[in-house]
Amino acid sequence: MQESPIPIPWPSRDRYLTPFLPLVYVAWSDGILSETEMGRIRQAIGESEDLPASAARVLESWLRADSPPSPEALARLEASIRRAARRAAPEELRSLVSLGVAIARAEAVDAGGWATAKGLRVLGGVEELLGVLGGEAARDLAPPERPVPPQRDSDGPTAATALQRIMTGDEDERRLRTRVLELLSDPRIRVPDGLPTPTARKRVLAAVRRLAAEGLGKLAFPTEFGGTDDVAGSMILFETLAYGNLSVLIKFGVQFGLFGGSVHQLGTRRHHEMLLERIGSLDLPGSFAMTERDHGSNVRGIETRADYLPDTDEFVIHTPHPGAEKDWIGNALHGRMATVFAQLHVGGEEHGVHAFLVPVRTRLGRPLRGIRIEDCGQKVGLNGVDNGRLSFDRVRIPRRNLLDRFADVTPEGGYRSPIVSPGRRFFTMLGTLVGGRISIAAASVSVAKTGLAVAVPYSARRRQFGPSGEAEVPILDFLAQQRTLLPALATTYGLHFAVRSLITDYASADSRHTPPRVEALAAGLKAYASHHAQETLQNCREALGGQGYLAANRLGVLREDTDIFTTFEGVNVVLLQLVAKSLLSKYRESMGDLRLWSMVRLLAERAGEEVARLDPVRSRRSADEHLRDPEMQREALLFRESRLLHTVARRLKRRIDRGMDSFHAMNECQDHLVHLARAHVERSILESFRAGVERCGESGDGTAARLLGALSDLYALSTIERDRAWYLESGYMEAVQTKAVRDLVNRLCRELRDEAPALVRAFGIPDAVLAAPAALDGAPG
C-alpha cells in the first residue's frame, strides 16, 4: 500500500470505515500510543480480508505516529461521532466496537461484515491493542443526559441538635456561649484580616476593651472584685472566642488570663484589692514577662535578678545582659504594668524564681525610667498582638510588689515561705498557671473545628470527576478525601470531650494545689491539641484546593495564627517530656511503696498480664465486633502506654546504674519518652470520648449515640493504625489484624461520610462567625 504523509480526509457514511470511527479517535485522543503500538494496530487492520484497499489506506494514514491528524481534523472526527451516537442505547455503549457498529446503524450505513462474529473479532482485536477500558471510553464519547445526583439519606440533621446539646454542657454554659458568639458577630469586635499591623493592633485593643466592658475579663475573678469566680466559665469563654479573630483571643488571654491570673493566683488580698478590678476592666493593661531570650522554656534558668534592699524596703529588678531580656511578651506596647519573673536574692542568698509587679509605662504610654521596650516586629501570624522585649536597668519597686502567696520577704530582709523545698515551691508556683495550658488546648480544639466546619461542607458539595457518562461526584465521596478529613473530625470530637473533662477537674480542684495528674494532662493535651490543630488546618487547606488558598476562607490565616500555639505556654516536645516524667514519678512511687514480696508478686502479675495480652489467638482476631469493642480499643491503647512506661523505666535505670547522670539518661531515651507521653494522652482522650458516648446514650437519643460511637471507633482505630508498626514490633498484633484495622478505618469513613456535614454543624458555629464563603451553599466551585 502507498503511504500517505498526512491523514486522508475521512469519508462520511462509508460502510467499511464508519465502525472504526471510535477506535481511530480514541487512538489519538489521549496521545499515549507509540509508533510500535500504532504499527501493531495497522498490521491487525491490514490482515483483515474484508477491508478494501482504499479503506485500508485511509485507516493507515490515520494511524501513523509520525504524521498525526491536525487538531481540526480530530475535532471534526469527534463531532461526527458524538452526533451519530446521541441515540445509542445503553447496551451499545459496552465497548468501542459496539458503539462503532451502532453509529453505522444510526447513519443508515450497512455495517456489513463488521456486524458478524468474524468482523466483531477484528474490531475487538483493535480495541484490545488500544489498551483502554472500552466501555468507559464509549460512554465518554456518547454521554447520556446528565443525571440528577441522588439524594442522600442521613440521620445527621436530627442528631446534630442532640450532639450540640451534649457538647455544650449545662444551661449556664449555653447562655455564656450564645452571648460570646453574638459578640463575635459585633462589628466592634470583628477585626478584618490583612490590615496593616499598626491598624490591626488598634482594632484588636478596641475589641478587647469591648469584651472587658461586657464584664468578660473578670469572669474568673472573685465576686468581691467584680467577677463571678467561674474558672470553668472563663475557659469556655476562651474556647468560644477562638472561633473569632485569634489576635483578639490572645490579647484577651494575656491581659485577663496571664497578667490578671498571675495577680489572682500568685498574689494575696492586698494585690487583689488594689488591682483585680482595674485589670478586669482594662483600666490597667498589663503583661506577663516570664520568657527570656537565652532560656526559652527553661524558666528555672532565667537570669533577671530581683535584689532586696532593706534600707529602702525595695527590690531592684535588673537585666544583667542582653540574653536575659524578656522576650515575646504579649501586650508589651500597650501594657503599663508587667508581672516579671526574676531570681530573688535576699541578704546574699538566692531563693529561686519569684514574681514581681513592675510598672513599665505612664498613663500616657511613655516607658518609665530604666525600662527598655522594643517591638518584636512582624511575625508569621497574630500581628494584631503587640509582642515585644523588656529589659530593666536597676528598676526599683516597693517590697509590696512581690506576689507573695507562696513566699514573702520581711522589711528586715528575712525570707519566709510555707513551702520549705525550693523545687516544690517553684513547681507549686507554676502549677497555679496550669489554666493557661488548658485554655490553649481548648482554643486549639475550636480552631480545628473551624477548619473542619469549612472543609467538610465544601467537600460534600463540590463535585469533580465520576464514572464515565455519569454525574460528577462530591469530592467527599473519594476515600482519600474522607481519609484526610474524617479521622481528624473524630479526633476533634475526642479532644473536645477530653478538654472539657480536664476543665471540670481543674475547676473543682483545690486552688492551693493543682493535682499532679491534672498538671500532666494539661501539658499533654495542650501539646496534642495544638499539634492537631495545625495538622488539621493544613489538611483542610489542601482538601479545599484553590478555595483553601483564598484568604476569604480563613484557613491560611488560622494556620499562621495558631502556629505559635505549639510553642507558647510551653514548647510541645518539652511538655510531652513533662508528661512522661510525671508518669515515671508515679511509677516509681508505686514501686517504692512495695515491700520485697509484694514487688515479686506484682512483677509476676504483670508478667501474666503481658502473656495474656500477647495471646496469639487474640492478636489475630479481626472481626468487626472485636475491633469495634470499646474494651478492646481501650486495652490496646493501655497496653501500649504500659509497655512504653515499663520499658523506658528499665532503659533509664540501666543507664543510671552504670553511672550516667539523669540528664544524659533522659536525653538518650527522649524519643521513647515522647512516644510514652503521646500514648498516655491518646488513651486519656479515648476514655473521655467513651464517657461522652455513654452520656449521650443515657440521654435517650439513640441516633446521636450511634454517630458518636462510630466517631469514637474511628478515633481509636485510626490511632492504632497510625502506630501499627509498634503494635507489630511488640507482638500485640499480627499482620492480619492490622490489615483488618486499616480496612475497618476505610469502612468507618464511608459509614460517616453522609453524616459528616451534620457532625460539623453540631459544633454550633454561626455562619456570621465562621465567615468563610466555601462553607456556605453559595461558595464558588
Side-chain angles (χ1 to χ4, degrees), residues 262-263 266-267 271 339 355-357 401-407:
S262 64
V263 174
L266 300 179
H271 302 110
T339 297
F356 303 83
L357 294 171
N401 282 25
L402 168 67
L403 293 175
D404 56 355
R405 179 180 178 186
F406 298 114

Side-chain angles (χ1 to χ4, degrees), residues 272-514:
H272 300 165
E273 292 175 344
M274 181 172 61
L275 298 174
L276 282 185
E277 288 201 59
R278 295 181 62 204
I279 293 171
S281 65
L282 202 53
D283 177 59
L284 178 63
S287 303
F288 184 83
M290 177 183 279
T291 302
E292 292 183 3
R293 182 188 299 179
D294 278 2
H295 299 286
S297 297
N298 181 18
V299 179
R300 289 185 91 166
I302 64 175
E303 295 180 81
T304 301
R305 290 177 62 103
D307 291 273
Y308 180 62
L309 303 179
D311 292 346
T312 59
D313 200 28
E314 293 176 312
F315 292 104
V316 176
I317 309 297
H318 183 64
T319 304
H321 60 83
E325 69 180 7
K326 300 297 181 181
D327 207 358
W328 293 107
I329 308 306
N331 228 9
L333 305 185
H334 294 148
R336 298 205 310 270
M337 180 177 281
T339 297
V340 177
F341 289 80
Q343 300 285 357
L344 173 61
H345 294 257
V346 180
E349 292 185 10
E350 183 176 333
H351 294 281
V353 177
H354 290 65
F356 303 83
L357 294 171
V358 182
V360 295
R361 271 195 178 82
T362 68
R363 269 197 171 272
L364 297 177
R366 297 192 185 95
L368 294 169
R369 182 178 179 182
I371 305 292
R372 182 170 176 268
I373 305 172
E374 63 176 282
D375 193 338
C376 282
Q378 197 75 2
K379 307 183 294 286
V380 169
L382 294 178
N383 283 298
V385 179
D386 48 320
N387 291 100
R389 303 182 184 94
L390 300 179
S391 58
F392 309 92
D393 185 7
R394 297 175 177 81
V395 175
R396 295 193 175 207
I397 60 172
R399 182 174 57 87
R400 66 175 181 272
N401 282 25
L402 168 67
L403 293 175
D404 56 355
R405 179 180 178 186
F406 298 114
D408 194 11
V409 175
T410 67
E412 299 76 23
Y415 181 79
R416 301 179 304 190
S417 173
I419 304 173
V420 176
S421 165
R424 185 180 171 198
R425 185 166 57 244
F426 171 76
F427 286 110
T428 300
M429 176 186 69
L430 291 189
T432 62
L433 306 176
V434 164
R437 288 175 181 163
I438 300 175
S439 296
I440 292 300
S444 297
V445 176
S446 293
V447 171
K449 289 176 182 177
T450 298
L452 291 163
V454 176
V456 169
Y458 178 81
S459 297
R461 194 175 62 253
R462 176 73 160 112
R463 293 177 176 272
Q464 275 192 338
F465 308 110
S468 294
E470 297 182 19
E472 292 180 308
V473 302
I475 58 177
L476 194 56
D477 285 2
F478 293 103
L479 179 61
Q481 191 83 343
Q482 294 170 7
R483 278 283 197 155
T484 296
L485 296 176
L486 300 189
L489 176 62
T491 301
T492 301
Y493 264 83
L495 278 166
H496 170 90
F497 288 110
V499 172
R500 286 303 181 86
S501 176
L502 180 61
I503 289 172
T504 300
D505 290 347
Y506 177 75
S508 60
D510 185 343
S511 64
R512 294 168 297 179
H513 178 64
T514 304

Side-chain angles (χ1 to χ4, degrees), residues 160-233:
T161 303
L163 284 173
Q164 187 176 341
R165 187 172 58 252
I166 290 164
M167 294 175 74
T168 51
D170 60 21
E171 194 58 39
D172 288 341
E173 179 186 323
R174 292 189 196 109
R175 280 196 296 268
L176 173 62
R177 191 174 185 275
T178 300
R179 179 184 172 199
V180 175
L181 289 172
E182 288 173 354
L183 284 168
L184 289 178
S185 302
D186 187 331
R188 290 171 292 182
I189 289 178
R190 295 179 66 83
V191 180
D193 295 323
L195 295 174
T197 295
T199 305
R201 288 176 176 176
K202 290 177 183 177
R203 291 286 298 269
V204 167
L205 178 60
V208 175
R209 286 196 187 282
R210 172 74 178 131
L211 294 171
E214 290 286 326
L216 297 176
K218 302 175 184 178
L219 211 59
F221 296 166
T223 53
E224 60 187 308
F225 303 115
T228 59
D229 211 13
D230 187 359
V231 174

